[in-house]
Amino acid sequence: MPTYVALLSWTDQGAQNYEDTAKRAETFGSAVHKLGAKLLSIYWTIGPYDLVAVVEAPDDETATAAFLQLGGVGNVRSTTLRAFGREEMERIIAKAAG
């Protein structure tokens, strides 16, 4: 399944309610699961982003739906990256090499 890495920044609302962040992460994991995806990991970070989430989803549309739902709650803004594992990258290189 494709992997997505989301760099998350708290909104003012999310920062004001920081006490609920672990519960919100659990709720996000459940919501992702209902869409047919999986929250592989979530990390709280120091630096330009407040959290990093790693999600597996069957396709871009499902991943986008998950992150739209997350953003719609109003606690975070996200920058989502499609990540490729080693085997995927080897296939990509094979295609590029022709």
Side-chain angles (χ1 to χ4, degrees), residues 44-93:
W44 286 261
T45 58
I46 297 172
Y49 299 98
D50 299 304
L51 301 102
V52 176
V54 182
V55 171
E56 277 187 346
D59 50 50
D60 291 346
E61 291 83 2
T62 303
T64 301
F67 290 113
L68 282 173
Q69 284 182 351
L70 177 64
V73 175
N75 292 307
V76 293
R77 288 186 186 84
S78 66
T79 301
T80 306
L81 310 167
R82 170 64 167 91
F84 299 92
R86 181 187 177 108
E87 289 179 9
E88 289 174 300
M89 197 61 211
E90 288 173 349
R91 287 193 303 270
I92 292 167
I93 291 167

